Amino acid sequence: MQSESIELGFLSIFSLLTFFIFLLVSKFSNKILSGALMDNDFEKPQAFHSEPVSRSGGLASIISLFIFFYFYYLLYSEILFNYLFIATGIFFIGSLDDFKVKIKPITRLFVMIIILFILIYFLEIKIKSIDLIFLNSLID
């Protein structure tokens, strides 16, 4: 019962911290690197906005995730290398478009899927089942 309370408290603090990281990064994204975190490209295929918006969601997510990994290490003395590699790889592929590297969205999706499959295959990650029937055959 005591460890469950500690874990729920940790999760609550982490959620609150993540919210504030998103808020701060979004608020100051137009000032960081002379507005490099603002999306001004309205011509890309996935753009549906008509005025500049912050593209700091991925950055805030990866910062929050690294903070989580750090706290996890402090609590359990274990580094989650597998998840760290997957999260970092997917983040970098996803952020290429934000930094003006022209990649078609479908190409980026396939590269992310390939990276995910390669990392799951080579790292010690066990997936027992997925709710998508056609993917369960790949797991077997």
Side-chain angles (χ1 to χ4, degrees):
M1 186 69 170
Q2 180 68 19
S3 66
E4 183 178 312
S5 176
I6 291 172
E7 290 169 355
L8 288 176
F10 173 67
L11 189 59
S12 299
I13 291 171
F14 177 70
S15 298
L16 188 63
L17 182 65
T18 299
F19 170 76
F20 282 114
I21 289 172
F22 272 93
L23 186 67
L24 289 172
V25 170
S26 179
K27 175 77 175 159
F28 296 109
S29 62
N30 61 344
K31 295 177 175 76
I32 298 172
L33 299 172
S34 301
L37 294 178
M38 295 300 288
D39 187 3
N40 301 337
D41 186 7
F42 310 118
E43 302 300 321
K44 60 186 176 184
Q46 68 271 27
F48 58 89
H49 50 84
S50 58
E51 56 187 53
V53 295
S54 173
R55 55 180 137 180
S56 57
L59 181 62
S61 297
I62 202 75
I63 290 170
S64 297
L65 193 60
F66 283 146
I67 290 172
F68 169 78
F69 287 145
Y70 177 70
F71 282 130
Y72 189 89
Y73 174 73
L74 290 178
L75 289 173
Y76 300 107
S77 298
E78 180 183 357
I79 300 174
L80 302 172
F81 286 113
N82 298 342
Y83 301 105
L84 187 65
F85 292 144
I86 289 173
T88 305
I90 298 299
F91 168 75
F92 282 122
I93 296 299
S95 65
L96 285 177
D97 186 54
D98 291 341
F99 295 107
K100 309 288 192 271
V101 177
K102 299 292 182 187
I103 300 175
K104 293 179 184 177
I106 192 73
T107 305
R108 192 171 59 240
L109 177 65
F110 282 127
V111 169
M112 286 181 178
I113 290 171
I114 290 168
I115 287 174
L116 187 62
F117 276 124
I118 289 171
L119 288 175
I120 287 174
Y121 182 77
F122 286 109
L123 299 175
E124 295 179 15
I125 298 175
K126 304 292 183 225
I127 300 175
K128 295 180 181 176
S129 73
I130 299 177
D131 288 337
L132 300 171
I133 296 169
F134 68 93
L135 287 178
N136 277 335
S137 63
L138 287 175
I139 292 174
D140 294 336

